[in-house]
Amino acid sequence: MNVLHSRLKTTQDLEKLREQLRKNREEKSTYLAVCGDTGCAVWGSKTVKNFSQECLEKKGLAGTIGLKFTGCLGLCESGPVVIVFPQEIFYQKVQEDDVEEIIEKTVLKGEVIERLLYNDPVTGEKYIYARDIPFYKKQQRTLLASNWKNDPTSIEDYLALDGYEAFEQALTKMTPREIIAEVKNSLLRGRGGAGFPTGAKWEECYEVHADQKYIICNADEGDPGAFMDRSLLEGNPHSVLEGLIIGGYAIGAREGIVYIRAEYPTAVAKVRLAIAQAEELGLLGENILGSGFNFKVSVSIGAGAFVCGETSALVASVEGRVGEPRQKPPHLAERGYLNKPTVINNVESLANIPYIIRHGAVSYCLTGTEKSKGTKIFSLVGKVLNTGLVEVPLGMTLREIIFEIGGGIKNGKQFKAVQTGGPSGGCLPASLLDSPTDFEELSAAGSMMGSGGMIVMDEETCMVDIARYFLRFLEDESCGRCFSCREGISRMLEMVEDITRGESSPGQLDLLRELAHVVKDSSLCGLGQTAANPVLATIRYFEDEYLAHILEKRCPAGVCRELIQFSINEELCQGCGLCLKKCPGEAIRGEKKQPHAILGDKCTKCGICLETCKYNAVLKS
Amino acid sequence: MEERTKTDLENLKKQNGSSVVSLLQEVQEKYNYLPEELLREIAKERNIPLMDIYSVATFYKAFSLSPKGKHKVVTCSGTACHVRGSEKVTREISRTLGIESGHTTEDGLYSLENVSCLGACALAPLVVIDGEYHGSMTSAKILEILNGHTAGKKENGCCCHDQGKKENDCRQVSLPRA
Amino acid sequence: MLNLTLNGLEISVEKGTTLLEAAKFYGMEIPTLCSDEALSPYGACRLCLVEIGTGNHSRLVSSCTYPAREGLTVRTHTERVVQARKLLLELYLATCPSSKTIQDMASKLGVTKVRFKQKHEECILCGLCVRMCAEQMQGKAIGFVKRGIKRRITAPFAKKSEDCRLCGGCMYICPACQARCQGPQEKSPICNACLNLSAPCLDYFEEAMCYMDPCVACELGTGRKAKAQS
């Protein structure tokens, strides 16, 4: 949509434009929403969208029936997802051959195409409407709701769906103090990980007098296995931008920066476009809507360093320096970007702001637990059936999220643990499935909320291996300044690797614990202070698994390479020779039609034989 | 000094405000690595200590001081990919190409990179070869793709179609450019 | 002036004083490997940890970087602090055993056993030399490169730096260089300490990669001469 708009000079101009856009939207209430998020894009949603476009044009329907290439629709596992509006009929795994039929039957005649419906693996039922699917039914999609209705490249869509209304309200009807009070009353807590109250952060910066202040949106989503922020920026960039502008107005900043990691090129493009659109309409720039408030926003791109998620390191990175954290105090509210008072908010925190301003803190507080209000977006991934992006009220139990929304574990395996909080978090066992997910509960259990990655693990995941995985990640991602963090992580890794190789002793486990506590206690920044969590949490809940490695030299999950062996069951082996052909190490011998055997000393334990065998004759022990 | 570096320097001089990180990002984007000579010139022109530039250039993962291979193989080692077995997949790639992560083959054809998360966890384990996403990888599947690739007979469509398209099999399509 | 409690003592210090400076002023000894009065605080060695706050909210911070704040409670030798210091020193010994400074400090705290695998690093990355060069000599000839466990101190591109004025300040201040110079290693441009007056460098390494080329010690010693004669 390339409608050229003139700059809006007053709030009346904005209202007039919004009315017009709403009317336009009503006239085109029938439309196809094709998910354009990375997951679905890889499954081929771009082709589906292009083909739909062609189809509509060919049939002369382009003027009456809309087509939106939206942000994440949630159920990544079943991509490409297409939803037909206004009925909200949900189609999954749509390919280009299906497009014409969808338009002919569903769009024009309202008929449902059975074949494309979602078949719930748990209930075995087919569902027509998205709202009925168990995956969506249990969720409370406050922030993600507009992803369905919104073309993220269109500010018109956002405006028609009440976008920038909160900003207008804040600008014309509220003082900065009132905005801060509202945010404080909403008890909104930072969604980036630590859960610091957003309102208090703003207030601290508001109180400081300075000629220039900055507000930075932290979109350096570095936790592996988390993609909430990417999906928000790609699916509804204006909501984050609106939150950022309101925050800037509240603290008295005239400049905002969106710091995005380079691994997210699409998000960068969408945010840049959103900024350009807001500038064109005069929602950014000088004298916004005639209020006298000036605000501009720029984009800064990360260069690949997990530690830059830490606020002082982030500032160093935006300034162009090495991303090393520094001692706080002084806090960023006193000395931040370019030594000026600065507030840094996470993407999801900012996306909550427009809702809070529009609906009020009281309404916001209806959702959540006593100390954790509102909803939280999680990326539910790993060995779970319904991989995807879910938004739930804070306080929902892990069981509800993993088993009711997520549909339980893949391939009928047993649940073992769920990892939250990224490299700073921990793994929680089945016994804690009924604990509610809020900031306090997760911390008390030895994990943390983190940014919202939720990785489900089954019986085939080795918890010692998971500890090793995170330590390896952190060994590389630590900035290396603190001796305790740099050397401590490396030594913890050394010890855990010994355990995975069966070269450890019970005394080493005690030393590992001792070291983990010291690393936690004596490091400078959040990265080092939480680096031991993956180790401590896995030892706490899965000590028997550690002991199996140490005492019995056995990896119960069959993951640790040094402790497993591959062999061929002679009775089951048909001598087809497939494994022999595929084995990259030439470690399999045998005559055609005769049982084969694996040569232990040559076997690299890649597991290809196990994957390729059609007769289940390859055993792992 | 070569002509090309001269014009680049002229361009770089124009953007006086930009930070060291964004300057290096531009150089990396253009040359696929950071040429030493150019960094030395930038230090002089912009009056920034060379040491500061060198520190930044070696700190961030996005920068490389040696040229990258013609084909880029990127493996995702996010937690979701890890629990679904990405390490085995990476090991096979590493063995096939004969290089460790972060290195380039001697003939300059392939470089192997390991990134912490691409945020497409539904496709785990994920391998990206020259911008093409390959989801739900296994050691066997990646070997076929790589062998096809190195033999120069990269087929159209998916590697695993011959085994019959199963649920969650690798479905491979190009990701739209941003 | 700011009022705070230091090991139970009511004290007052000027604004801008660090906890390490305050403790020193009041005669409390805190071990440290990376601080020097003439250089800016860096907080890398973590040995100067102190416990601030009380009860469940207390935590450990590096006293060299933490500024004194009004009403703060500081304890320099709690069990928690001493335990952390001892384990860190054990790690130092396991990493960089040849430094006399580290050995002395460890023995003072009663650290006599190393339970970790023994490594033989020459550098503890305290950054004193980097700050010496930048802050006192306005040099910036050396600095940190890479990150995490791969972090090193070197000159740009691991070559002799044009900014180096051969002042030797970096060697003077190094706490790990108290051991004899072992000569440059082929892969690293820094030979650590050329306090050894019969420097072997130029004899063995035709293209000496020492960033101090020509090395002060080598100049004084026999290395250069030997080369000239051959």
Side-chain angles (χ1 to χ4, degrees):
Chain A
M1 252 180 266
N2 280 321
V3 198
L4 278 176
H5 298 286
S6 51
R7 213 182 128 85
L8 306 169
K9 295 199 181 68
T10 60
T11 46
Q12 285 81 9
D13 288 353
L14 177 60
E15 269 319 301
K16 229 191 280 167
L17 175 66
R18 197 196 307 280
E19 274 315 307
Q20 180 60 44
L21 292 171
R22 275 193 187 132
K23 234 166 90 197
N24 293 353
R25 211 185 141 86
E26 269 163 36
E27 283 165 10
K28 233 182 185 179
S29 64
T30 305
Y31 63 90
L32 288 171
V34 181
C35 179
D37 200 68
T38 314
C40 283
V42 174
W43 296 141
S45 69
K46 179 109 192 206
T47 333
V48 171
K49 178 230 161 194
N50 287 342
F51 209 72
S52 310
Q53 182 77 44
E54 274 172 38
C55 243
L56 288 175
E57 275 164 18
K58 218 164 57 195
K59 293 178 191 297
L61 297 167
T64 47
I65 291 164
L67 175 67
K68 293 184 197 302
F69 204 38
T70 67
C72 185
L73 296 176
L75 200 54
C76 309
E77 193 73 43
S78 307
V81 170
V82 174
I83 303 181
V84 183
F85 283 82
Q87 306 97 313
E88 298 188 15
I89 296 171
F90 184 91
Y91 288 142
Q92 54 142 10
K93 295 185 182 163
V94 177
Q95 293 298 324
E96 53 181 285
D97 319 342
D98 306 321
V99 169
E100 196 153 3
E101 197 180 345
I102 295 179
I103 294 173
E104 284 289 334
K105 286 192 179 160
T106 312
V107 174
L108 293 178
K109 298 186 199 142
E111 291 170 19
V112 172
I113 305 167
E114 193 83 1
R115 159 171 57 88
L116 295 173
L117 289 180
Y118 176 76
N119 195 346
D120 193 80
V122 180
T123 59
E125 268 179 67
K126 283 197 169 184
Y127 295 93
I128 299 175
Y129 304 107
R131 54 182 174 271
D132 295 333
I133 296 175
F135 177 81
Y136 292 109
K137 206 170 177 181
K138 214 59 229 208
Q139 293 188 45
Q140 185 176 338
R141 293 167 77 90
T142 310
L143 302 179
L144 292 176
S146 37
N147 269 18
W148 291 16
K149 304 169 186 162
N150 209 350
D151 177 348
T153 59
S154 153
I155 194 171
E156 290 86 0
D157 264 2
Y158 187 68
L159 284 170
L161 296 165
D162 308 328
Y164 289 107
E165 212 174 78
F167 170 54
E168 185 192 333
Q169 194 180 330
L171 196 62
T172 54
K173 296 185 187 118
M174 295 168 91
T175 64
R177 260 195 195 291
E178 282 166 346
I179 297 171
I180 291 170
E182 202 65 35
V183 175
K184 271 177 92 177
N185 290 338
S186 76
L187 302 182
L188 173 67
R189 298 171 64 170
R191 299 293 196 241
F196 192 80
T198 306
K201 215 184 225 181
W202 285 11
E203 187 171 44
E204 200 187 344
C205 192
Y206 172 80
E207 302 285 351
V208 181
H209 292 280
D211 55 339
Q212 176 67 288
K213 292 180 190 175
Y214 295 94
I215 181 164
I216 300 178
C217 169
N218 181 355
D220 187 44
E221 184 172 54
D223 285 7
F227 58 98
M228 302 76 45
D229 294 349
R230 175 179 68 71
S231 291
L232 267 176
L233 289 174
E234 289 180 14
N236 201 354
H238 281 289
S239 68
V240 181
L241 193 58
E242 185 178 0
L244 185 73
I245 307 173
I246 295 173
Y249 175 68
I251 65 164
R254 288 194 303 274
E255 220 181 304
I257 298 166
V258 185
Y259 182 80
I260 313 182
R261 67 196 290 243
E263 285 87 341
Y264 292 170
T266 317
V268 172
K270 295 245 169 91
V271 170
R272 282 199 170 131
L273 179 67
I275 293 171
Q277 288 168 338
E279 277 170 354
E280 188 191 324
L281 278 181
L283 295 168
L284 282 174
E286 302 284 307
N287 191 19
I288 297 170
L289 299 177
S291 65
F293 172 57
N294 307 329
F295 195 70
K296 62 175 180 184
V297 177
S298 57
V299 172
S300 176
I301 300 179
F306 173 71
V307 69
C308 289
E310 201 276 346
T311 51
S312 63
L314 189 150
V315 166
S317 175
V318 178
E319 288 174 0
R321 292 181 287 120
V322 164
E324 256 177 46
R326 64 159 172 81
Q327 176 80 56
K328 287 178 280 185
H331 293 288
L332 295 184
E334 299 165 55
R335 200 155 65 83
Y337 180 58
L338 302 177
N339 289 330
K340 300 291 180 191
T342 302
V343 159
I344 298 183
N345 287 130
N346 163 269
V347 171
E348 196 183 333
S349 315
L350 289 174
N352 271 294
I353 299 292
Y355 182 91
I356 293 170
I357 299 298
R358 253 196 14 244
H359 300 272
V362 179
S363 155
Y364 187 81
C365 285
L366 294 177
T367 308
T369 61
E370 191 197 337
K371 285 181 177 169
S372 307
K373 300 292 185 194
T375 59
K376 173 84 194 83
I377 306 177
F378 291 102
S379 67
L380 189 59
V381 299
K383 304 277 184 82
V384 69
L385 211 52
N386 297 328
T387 304
L389 206 61
V390 305
E391 182 178 355
V392 296
L394 277 165
M396 184 180 269
T397 65
L398 289 166
R399 188 185 299 281
E400 286 172 290
I401 298 176
I402 295 166
F403 287 89
E404 292 184 30
I405 295 175
I409 309 301
K410 265 194 152 147
N411 306 327
K413 294 268 172 16
Q414 275 293 315
F415 170 88
K416 186 188 258 180
V418 56
Q419 208 278 345
T420 67
S424 313
C427 298
L428 305 176
S431 60
L432 290 173
L433 272 176
D434 289 310
S435 55
T437 46
D438 69 9
F439 291 94
E440 278 72 27
E441 291 282 340
L442 286 176
S443 298
S447 183
M448 66 188 274
M449 177 72 82
S451 57
M454 203 174 257
I455 299 102
V456 179
M457 298 165 184
D458 67 6
E459 54 194 291
E460 289 183 346
T461 314
C462 169
M463 301 318 283
V464 186
D465 177 69
I466 290 298
R468 187 188 60 115
Y469 164 78
F470 280 115
L471 287 172
R472 238 185 224 175
F473 175 84
L474 289 164
E475 186 190 47
D476 177 43
E477 294 291 352
S478 153
C479 77
R481 175 172 173 169
C482 288
F483 178 77
S484 54
C485 174
R486 182 185 70 239
E487 198 61 33
I489 291 173
S490 166
R491 295 300 188 149
M492 285 195 285
L493 177 61
E494 185 178 276
M495 284 190 263
V496 170
E497 276 180 341
D498 279 351
I499 297 176
T500 61
R501 280 197 295 263
E503 294 168 3
S504 193
S505 63
Q508 287 285 306
L509 193 59
D510 294 331
L511 182 60
L512 177 60
R513 255 197 217 113
E514 193 185 331
L515 175 60
H517 282 294
V518 168
V519 170
K520 201 173 170 147
D521 239 6
S522 53
S523 299
L524 177 91
C525 79
L527 187 144
Q529 285 162 7
T530 55
N533 282 357
V535 175
L536 288 171
T538 47
I539 298 182
R540 178 167 163 190
Y541 297 115
F542 302 94
E543 191 169 354
D544 48 344
E545 216 171 317
Y546 274 84
L547 290 175
H549 284 76
I550 295 171
L551 300 174
E552 301 165 36
K553 317 284 179 216
R554 185 174 66 85
C555 175
V559 173
C560 296
R561 216 149 59 100
E562 278 81 358
L563 302 181
I564 53 170
Q565 235 100 49
F566 286 91
S567 58
I568 293 177
N569 181 327
E570 292 192 2
E571 278 168 29
L572 291 173
C573 179
Q574 306 290 315
C576 70
L578 191 59
C579 58
L580 187 145
K581 210 176 101 199
K582 297 265 173 170
C583 176
E586 297 179 352
I588 300 180
R589 288 285 157 81
E591 294 298 318
K592 260 240 169 308
K593 307 236 164 121
Q594 295 295 317
H596 287 28
I598 295 175
L599 307 175
D601 53 335
K602 277 197 166 177
C603 176
T604 60
K605 294 166 186 174
C606 65
I608 289 182
C609 50
L610 185 76
E611 282 167 24
T612 47
C613 183
K614 291 172 185 163
Y615 307 102
N616 295 326
V618 180
L619 306 171
K620 188 164 74 173
S621 57
Chain B
M1 190 171 44
E2 287 173 50
E3 267 311 305
R4 54 160 210 202
T5 20
K6 258 186 195 163
T7 44
D8 283 342
L9 275 174
E10 288 304 314
N11 287 336
L12 290 173
K13 258 192 267 180
K14 280 179 204 152
Q15 347 161 330
N16 248 330
S18 51
S19 73
V20 175
V21 171
S22 44
L23 274 178
L24 296 190
Q25 275 168 337
E26 263 174 59
V27 176
Q28 175 79 38
E29 171 88 37
K30 193 152 187 191
Y31 295 96
N32 221 1
Y33 81 111
L34 304 177
E36 178 179 338
E37 184 194 19
L38 191 55
L39 296 195
R40 287 185 184 275
E41 286 304 318
I42 291 173
K44 259 186 215 144
E45 288 291 333
R46 298 286 299 267
N47 208 11
I48 307 167
L50 182 62
M51 192 61 234
D52 288 353
I53 294 181
Y54 190 63
S55 291
V56 170
T58 55
F59 183 86
Y60 293 103
K61 226 174 174 172
F63 303 130
S64 161
L65 289 168
S66 54
K68 286 266 161 78
K70 198 173 154 202
H71 300 289
K72 255 200 213 165
V73 182
V74 180
T75 58
C76 177
S77 62
T79 323
C81 286
H82 181 79
V83 301
R84 291 195 190 174
S86 66
E87 209 174 271
K88 270 197 288 185
V89 174
T90 309
R91 203 160 43 225
E92 278 316 302
I93 300 177
S94 197
R95 213 183 44 77
T96 313
L97 296 178
I99 45 169
E100 290 294 309
S101 261
H103 290 85
T104 305
T105 50
E106 265 176 36
D107 55 12
L109 274 179
Y110 290 92
S111 52
L112 176 59
E113 267 174 63
N114 201 330
V115 299
S116 49
C117 189
L118 288 161
C121 309
L123 310 164
L126 185 62
V127 178
V128 185
I129 303 175
D130 289 337
E132 249 174 300
Y133 280 52
H134 301 265
S136 307
M137 273 299 111
T138 64
S139 315
K141 279 190 210 162
I142 193 67
L143 274 188
E144 276 184 44
I145 296 176
L146 275 182
N147 289 337
H149 203 271
T150 44
K153 51 172 184 182
K154 217 179 97 187
E155 308 141 52
N156 252 344
C158 180
C159 51
C160 43
H161 277 173
D162 53 347
Q163 293 163 10
K165 198 169 162 188
K166 279 184 286 179
E167 187 92 338
N168 273 336
D169 257 359
C170 157
R171 292 192 261 164
Q172 162 212 335
V173 203
S174 304
L175 190 75
R177 291 249 161 232
Chain C
M1 294 297 267
L2 300 164
N3 302 304
L4 48 156
T5 317
L6 177 67
N7 290 347
L9 218 65
E10 301 289 326
I11 62 162
S12 52
V13 295
E14 269 177 54
K15 206 176 169 226
T17 312
T18 66
L19 296 184
L20 181 68
E21 286 163 342
K24 242 186 197 168
F25 184 78
Y26 283 91
M28 324 258 172
E29 198 187 324
I30 296 178
T32 162
L33 276 173
C34 74
S35 85
D36 188 283
E37 280 169 10
L39 301 174
S40 60
Y42 192 58
C45 79
R46 313 310 292 169
L47 287 177
C48 70
L49 292 172
V50 295
E51 189 165 350
I52 59 166
T54 49
N56 284 339
H57 293 292
S58 76
R59 60 191 179 106
L60 304 190
V61 297
S62 48
S63 59
C64 67
T65 51
Y66 206 90
R69 298 235 148 176
E70 181 67 33
L72 200 67
T73 304
V74 185
R75 289 171 293 165
T76 60
H77 285 77
T78 60
E79 199 187 334
R80 191 172 163 194
V81 168
V82 174
Q83 287 299 336
R85 262 185 216 154
K86 282 173 90 166
L87 194 82
L88 288 175
L89 268 170
E90 190 180 333
L91 266 185
Y92 271 113
L93 280 180
T95 311
C96 183
S98 57
S99 159
K100 189 82 173 54
T101 320
I102 292 173
Q103 288 173 5
D104 291 350
M105 223 176 253
S107 89
K108 206 169 181 179
L109 275 172
V111 180
T112 50
K113 215 170 71 187
V114 174
R115 292 167 291 171
F116 302 96
K117 287 188 186 164
Q118 190 64 55
K119 287 202 245 174
H120 292 274
E121 299 281 342
E122 301 285 355
C123 175
I124 54 167
L125 299 171
C126 67
L128 279 171
C129 56
V130 175
R131 280 172 284 152
M132 183 71 160
C133 186
E135 293 170 18
Q136 291 294 330
M137 305 304 171
Q138 275 74 47
K140 287 227 175 185
I142 49 173
F144 292 106
V145 294
K146 300 197 177 166
R147 68 182 189 212
I149 196 68
K150 298 205 182 96
R151 189 172 163 106
R152 293 287 173 267
I153 293 174
T154 182
F157 301 99
K159 289 175 186 167
K160 185 196 159 192
S161 167
E162 287 165 25
D163 296 323
C164 177
R165 296 197 300 273
L166 307 177
C167 69
C170 47
M171 292 189 293
Y172 163 78
I173 203 155
C174 176
C177 282
Q178 316 266 334
R180 269 173 64 98
C181 169
Q182 304 296 317
Q185 291 142 11
E186 276 170 290
K187 279 188 183 142
S188 108
I190 296 180
C191 79
N192 292 306
C194 298
L195 297 175
N196 178 4
L197 290 187
S198 54
C201 319
L202 297 182
D203 282 342
Y204 302 142
F205 295 93
E206 199 53 43
E207 289 176 43
M209 278 172 63
C210 180
Y211 70 94
M212 284 289 296
D213 175 30
C215 166
V216 183
C218 296
E219 286 282 82
L220 291 170
T222 51
R224 182 53 62 104
K225 267 184 248 159
K227 201 184 176 200
Q229 281 162 6
S230 67

